[in-house]
């Protein structure tokens, strides 16, 4: 199978294969198919959440792109094609990782001329709206760099709501939004609170602030009703009663928007571990909201990789040992770790904020009290990491940035094993470790919460990947393997992740901030890590791996304290000092070296096509897979087949 599909801008598109799908039973295949349809029907929600004009701009440019009267050989058309492909990839006009707005390589005059020639009935014109009125509204959003420049702004001191283009707030300031949800939390005296604000747009109408809830009878109703339709089909072929109850709770939550029902769904979902098929579907992660409250819509359908899951089950079955031996203050440890379930899975369909770019590991649910009382469910995605590894093989990246042949040989020997293991430790144990002190608001760290949480999970994994317990459990071949992960992690945090930052920009994305914070903090603690110059190039060297592990332990203890106590000021100081700013000289060097390799810094995926096969009675008798669809065809098909909001 050819994993690479195409490349444009800073993106390479890959395919992932559904290994072992043919071994699933017919009912399991049907369950995967129905859940996949529910996953694809959420696409328009994500586009709208990421910017109020995204759906109209997408429809407008797709109309031009597919119109036969437009000159496809012109420079402007080719530039628009790249812009549209980037828009598809990011579910909007802002970069999926850096969140800065794309700069079009085509002119407004060319686009206006092209629009004047296409069939106006295919354009996203509102009732009574003229073409000129549509252009007057949308063109500044596309062409003026000062209009909506960042999807998520996290600059300290700014009004983060007013300066972010994401479509979660309308007419309210950051102060008003924070006060609104603070009042809701203050009025809740239960120990099982909902995730306030997770599934709504906060709006001010005639001076009154209120929530527009995302539900089958509220905002995004048409998309959600389609999702519910396919969830009901999935309900009929659920593998067991608990899985069936989880799907039923999710349906009822979608129908009502009641966040207590979402809690019920999370509890049932995290407790279901007998079935081989699983899924995530809903308003989940809050990275797309500068205040860390609103859940971006995402979907993923999966089935368990039985062989690889033995590794994660070994980790999760020893969760209490890892918690008890953590280097954090005993007050912040869980006295009893509950319900840690970890699986290695094959992704079967990606959607929303998990498509085309997707995570390689997931740990849910996010509510701290559900984690404490009912546990968590972790997954690492084997067929996605396999596609990444095959695409990276022999591309020259390690040879360019690793300091010497001895270290390179170590990484070649242990790198893939340790990458997978660190992801397992991060997802299976890191996110589920520790506890909040009584009375601590889970959202106390506000804009810094996501960075601190990712750092906490990463540090947990870094600390334990060097522990003799992992050799004892047979998870690493020897006591030297961990050094490969330590080296590549520090090299990434100090240097190589800068390939994803434009010159003059700061670090914005929470995972990148986390890695920079850990690496830079450790670098400043003494002579354990060095940046050395050789032949005009900068390299990372590590002189003492044992002491580096001790530094990880110290930082983990402090990060856990910050999380457990809700110490906002300490989080702010740590993030702003170590995680945000970029050394311009080193940055330019890294960019120049990477550019010479001819690689794309971002990867994403084209989904397989699932085709139901019917018997003579009209019943589904099999699900066939097709891997031949190209990127543009898939995106245009999705924009037609799964269009629910435009």
């Amino acid at each position: 199978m050819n994993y690479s599909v195409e490349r444009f801008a800073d993106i390479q598109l890959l395919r992932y294969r559904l290994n072992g799908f043919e071994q699933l039973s017919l009912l399991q295949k049907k369950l995967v198919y129905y859940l996949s349809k529910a996953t694809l029907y959420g696409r328009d929600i994500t586009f709208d959440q990421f910017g109020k004009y995204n759906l109209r701009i997408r429809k407008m440019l797709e109309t031009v792109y597919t119109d036969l009267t437009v000159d496809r050989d012109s420079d402007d058309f080719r530039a628009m094609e790249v812009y549209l492909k980037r828009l598809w990839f990011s579910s909007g006009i802002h970069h999926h990782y850096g969140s800065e707005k794309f700069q079009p390589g085509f002119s407004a005059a060319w686009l206006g001329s092209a629009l004047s020639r296409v069939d106006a009935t295919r354009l996203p014109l509102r009732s009574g709206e003229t073409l000129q009125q549509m252009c007057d509204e949308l063109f500044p959003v596309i062409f003026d760099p000062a209009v909506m420049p960042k999807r998520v702004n996290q600059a300290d001191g700014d009004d983060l709501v007013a300066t972010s283009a994401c479509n979660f707030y309308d007419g309210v300031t950051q102060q008003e939004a924070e006060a609104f949800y603070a009042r809701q939390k203050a009025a809740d005296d239960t120990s099982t609170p909902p995730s306030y604000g997770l599934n709504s747009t906060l709006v001010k109408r005639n001076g009154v602030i209120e929530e527009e809830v995302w539900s089958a009878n509220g905002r995004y109703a048409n998309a959600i009703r389609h999702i519910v339709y396919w969830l009901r089909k999935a309900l009929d072929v659920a593998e067991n009663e608990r899985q069936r109850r989880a799907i039923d709770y999710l349906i009822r939550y979608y129908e009502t928007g009641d966040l207590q029902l979402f809690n019920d769904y999370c509890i049932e979902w995290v407790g279901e571990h007998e079935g081989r098929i699983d899924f995530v579907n809903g308003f989940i992660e809050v990275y797309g909201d500068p205040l860390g409250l609103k859940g971006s819509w995402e979907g993923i359908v999966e089935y368990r990789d039985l062989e690889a899951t033995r590794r994660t089950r070994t980790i999760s079955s020893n969760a209490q040992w890892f918690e008890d031996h953590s280097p954090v203050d005993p007050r912040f440890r869980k006295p009893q770790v509950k319900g840690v379930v970890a699986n290695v899975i094959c992704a079967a369909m990606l959607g929303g904020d998990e498509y085309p770019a997707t995570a390689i590991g997931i740990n849910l649910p996010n509510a701290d009290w559900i984690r404490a009382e009912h546990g968590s469910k972790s997954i690492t995605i084997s067929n996605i990491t396999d596609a990444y590894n095959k695409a990276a093989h022999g591309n020259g990246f390690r040879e360019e940035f690793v300091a010497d042949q001895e270290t390179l040989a170590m990484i070649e020997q242990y790198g893939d094993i340790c990458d997978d293991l660190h992801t397992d430790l991060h997802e299976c144990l890191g996110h589920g470790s520790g506890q909040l002190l009584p009375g601590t608001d889970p959202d106390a760290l506000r804009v810094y919460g996501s960075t601190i949480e990712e750092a906490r999970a990463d540090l947990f994994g870094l600390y334990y990947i060097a522990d003799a317990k992992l050799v004892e459990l047979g998870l690493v071949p020897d006591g030297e393997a961990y050094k490969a992960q330590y080296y590549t992690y520090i090299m990434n945090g100090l240097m190589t992740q800068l390939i994803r930052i434009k010159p003059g920009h700061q670090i914005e994305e929470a995972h990148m901030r986390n890695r920079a914070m850990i690496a830079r903090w450790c670098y400043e603690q003494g002579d354990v890590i060095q940046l050395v110059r050789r032949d005009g190039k900068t390299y990372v060297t590590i002189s003492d791996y044992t002491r580096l592990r001790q530094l990880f332990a110290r930082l983990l203890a402090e990060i856990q304290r910050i999380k457990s106590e809700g110490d906002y000021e300490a989080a702010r100081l740590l993030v702003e000092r170590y995680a945000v700013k970029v050394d311009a000289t080193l940055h330019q060097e890294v960019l120049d070296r990477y550019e010479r390799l001819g690689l794309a810094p971002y990867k994403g995926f084209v989904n397989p096509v699932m085709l139901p096969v019917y018997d003579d009675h009209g019943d589904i008798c099999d699900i066939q897979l097709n891997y031949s669809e190209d990127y543009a065809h898939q995106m245009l098909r999705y924009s037609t087949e799964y269009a629910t909001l435009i």
Side-chain angles (χ1 to χ4, degrees):
M1 175 177 172
N2 183 9
Y3 283 84
S4 182
V5 179
E6 69 170 289
R7 178 181 168 178
F8 54 88
D10 56 358
I11 292 164
Q12 182 181 8
L13 269 299
L14 307 173
R15 300 190 194 278
Y16 61 97
R17 189 170 189 86
L18 275 60
N19 303 311
F21 181 82
E22 67 282 355
Q23 298 169 6
L24 300 179
S25 70
L26 176 58
L27 282 180
Q28 288 172 327
K29 288 180 179 179
K30 290 169 70 173
L31 179 58
V32 168
Y33 175 69
Y34 295 148
L35 290 172
S36 294
K37 297 289 281 188
T39 291
L40 295 174
Y41 266 112
R43 181 173 183 251
D44 277 4
I45 298 176
T46 310
F47 270 87
D48 188 74
Q49 288 180 319
F50 286 3
K52 65 185 294 185
Y53 302 104
N54 284 338
L55 285 170
R56 297 188 79 207
I57 291 173
R58 187 190 79 191
K59 179 67 172 177
M60 179 180 70
L61 296 183
E62 287 174 345
T63 302
V64 173
Y65 183 69
T66 56
D67 193 274
L68 298 178
T69 67
V70 177
D71 179 9
R72 304 180 71 86
D73 292 325
S74 69
D75 291 341
D76 281 296
F77 181 89
R78 285 192 287 267
M80 188 212 71
E81 181 179 25
V82 172
Y83 183 93
L84 178 57
K85 287 182 175 181
R86 298 183 78 187
L87 182 153
W88 285 330
F89 192 92
S90 298
S91 298
I93 63 172
H94 297 85
H95 197 281
H96 75 288
Y97 214 81
S99 85
E100 68 275 3
K101 189 167 75 170
F102 300 135
Q103 293 304 304
F106 54 96
S107 70
W110 175 85
L111 181 59
S113 176
L115 287 168
S116 69
R117 295 194 299 272
V118 304
D119 180 359
T121 62
R122 298 177 58 216
L123 291 171
L125 296 170
R126 298 190 180 102
S127 178
E129 185 181 40
T130 66
L131 174 62
Q132 187 59 51
Q133 288 171 329
M134 182 189 74
C135 292
D136 288 344
E137 180 177 36
L138 298 184
F139 275 33
V141 181
I142 297 172
F143 294 103
D144 188 343
V147 176
M148 307 176 77
K150 294 293 293 292
R151 177 167 66 89
V152 182
N153 178 35
Q154 294 187 321
D156 191 28
D158 288 354
D159 183 321
L160 303 183
V161 168
T163 57
S164 294
C166 56
N167 194 22
F168 296 124
Y169 304 94
D170 186 0
V172 299
T173 66
Q174 177 181 348
Q175 184 177 12
E176 289 172 330
E178 290 177 339
F180 181 89
Y181 290 112
R183 287 192 295 271
Q184 288 191 347
K185 292 176 183 178
D188 190 335
D189 59 357
T190 68
S191 60
T192 59
S195 299
Y196 288 108
L198 184 70
N199 66 333
S200 67
T201 305
L202 192 65
V203 302
K204 183 189 284 187
R205 299 282 186 265
N206 300 317
V208 178
I209 298 176
E210 59 186 11
E211 290 182 298
E212 291 184 355
V213 175
W214 309 330
S215 74
N217 294 297
R219 191 164 178 143
Y220 302 139
N222 193 42
I224 291 172
R225 287 170 187 166
H226 281 82
I227 294 169
V228 166
Y229 172 86
W230 288 102
L231 288 176
R232 289 195 183 282
K233 301 278 282 185
L235 195 65
D236 293 336
V237 291
E239 295 179 274
N240 56 65
E241 185 56 36
R242 189 149 201 180
Q243 190 180 72
R244 188 173 291 106
R245 288 202 304 270
I247 296 172
D248 184 61
Y249 273 126
L250 181 59
I251 290 170
R252 290 162 59 191
Y253 159 63
Y254 270 138
E255 289 176 334
T256 63
D258 184 348
L259 283 168
Q260 292 292 351
L261 286 171
F262 182 67
N263 283 349
D264 294 335
Y265 156 71
C266 289
I267 292 168
E268 291 295 333
W269 176 83
V270 81
E272 196 289 302
H273 53 266
E274 294 180 2
R276 189 173 178 186
I277 314 302
D278 208 348
F279 70 102
V280 174
N281 187 297
F283 308 106
I284 308 296
E285 301 292 359
V286 297
Y287 302 112
D289 175 13
L291 303 188
L293 297 171
K294 306 294 180 183
S296 301
W297 193 91
E298 68 179 59
I300 182 169
V301 186
E302 67 207 45
Y303 56 95
R304 200 178 325 128
D305 181 332
L306 300 178
E307 179 62 31
T309 291
R310 293 190 179 95
R311 181 184 73 235
T312 53
R313 290 293 172 90
T314 299
I315 293 172
S316 59
S317 65
N318 287 274
Q320 191 66 58
W321 185 93
F322 287 103
E323 184 77 2
D324 293 344
H325 291 81
S326 171
V328 307
D329 189 313
R331 295 181 301 145
F332 308 142
R333 299 179 195 153
K334 280 188 171 78
Q336 183 179 1
V337 179
K338 297 180 181 179
V340 176
V341 177
N343 293 312
V344 178
I345 62 98
C346 284
M349 192 63 67
L350 308 172
D353 201 15
E354 291 290 342
Y355 168 80
T358 184
I360 59 173
I362 297 171
N363 180 277
L364 293 171
N366 287 326
D368 284 286
W369 72 265
I370 296 179
R371 289 177 180 274
E373 294 185 19
H374 301 278
S376 62
K377 189 184 287 186
S378 301
I379 62 169
T380 52
I381 311 177
S382 62
N383 57 340
I384 295 297
T385 56
D386 181 58
Y388 278 136
N389 291 339
K390 284 182 169 59
H393 182 70
N395 65 11
F397 177 82
R398 289 174 176 173
E399 289 80 359
E400 174 61 35
F401 287 101
V402 174
D404 52 62
Q405 285 299 315
E406 181 182 359
T407 306
L408 182 61
M410 174 181 70
I411 295 169
E412 291 293 334
Q413 181 178 0
Y414 298 120
D416 289 349
I417 295 172
C418 287
D419 280 346
D420 289 344
L421 185 55
H422 184 255
T423 300
D424 292 341
L425 291 167
H426 173 112
E427 299 294 349
C428 301
L429 301 181
H431 280 306
S433 66
Q435 64 179 355
L436 302 180
L437 292 184
T440 298
D441 182 354
D443 300 316
L445 303 183
R446 289 178 279 174
V447 67
Y448 302 107
S450 294
T451 297
I452 292 296
E453 176 57 24
E454 292 304 323
R456 195 175 70 88
D458 260 2
L459 285 163
F460 196 96
L462 289 167
Y463 176 75
Y464 274 117
I465 201 169
D467 201 284
K469 184 72 170 180
L470 271 64
V471 180
E472 175 190 324
L473 293 173
L475 296 171
V476 290
D478 55 52
E480 296 293 304
Y482 78 94
K483 295 178 181 179
Q485 184 67 23
Y486 277 23
Y487 186 89
T488 54
Y489 191 94
I490 294 298
M491 181 180 73
N492 188 37
L494 289 179
M495 289 181 55
T496 53
Q497 72 169 359
L498 295 177
I499 62 175
R500 297 184 167 193
I501 304 293
K502 288 186 175 182
H505 288 217
Q506 296 184 335
I507 302 174
E508 297 278 354
E509 201 275 335
H511 297 79
M512 291 183 69
R513 284 187 165 191
N514 140 50
R515 293 188 288 266
M517 180 177 69
I518 292 172
R520 292 171 178 177
W521 183 91
C522 291
Y523 175 68
E524 284 197 7
Q525 301 311 304
D527 59 354
V528 174
I529 302 167
Q530 302 82 35
L531 289 174
V532 300
R533 296 280 294 174
R534 189 171 64 246
D535 300 327
K537 296 180 179 180
T538 305
Y539 297 94
V540 169
T541 61
I542 298 174
S543 57
D544 193 328
Y545 284 90
T546 300
R547 286 181 58 199
L548 181 55
R549 188 190 186 214
Q550 294 168 357
L551 292 178
F552 288 149
R554 279 176 50 196
L555 186 55
L556 174 57
E558 173 60 7
I559 291 288
Q560 183 63 63
R561 183 200 66 79
I562 290 170
K563 170 86 172 182
S564 295
E565 295 180 350
D567 190 342
Y568 171 82
E569 186 60 21
R572 187 186 72 81
L573 291 173
L574 200 57
V575 173
E576 294 295 336
R577 177 173 176 179
Y578 294 105
V580 178
K581 297 178 177 60
V582 175
D583 181 303
T585 302
L586 179 62
H587 186 196
Q588 191 58 55
E589 177 198 328
V590 171
L591 291 175
D592 291 343
R593 291 165 66 182
Y594 189 78
E595 184 179 12
R596 287 194 289 270
L597 295 174
L599 303 176
Y602 300 99
K603 306 291 191 295
F605 294 89
V606 174
N607 280 324
V609 180
M610 293 187 179
L611 301 169
V613 179
Y614 296 92
D615 61 20
D616 293 339
H617 303 288
D619 298 322
I620 293 177
C621 60
D622 197 8
I623 303 294
Q624 291 185 348
L625 302 176
N626 185 295
Y627 297 103
S628 64
E629 189 170 36
D630 68 31
Y631 176 64
H633 185 276
Q634 182 159 106
M635 288 298 184
L636 290 169
R637 180 171 66 84
Y638 284 4
S639 292
T640 300
E641 188 172 345
Y642 301 104
T644 55
L645 302 180
I646 190 169

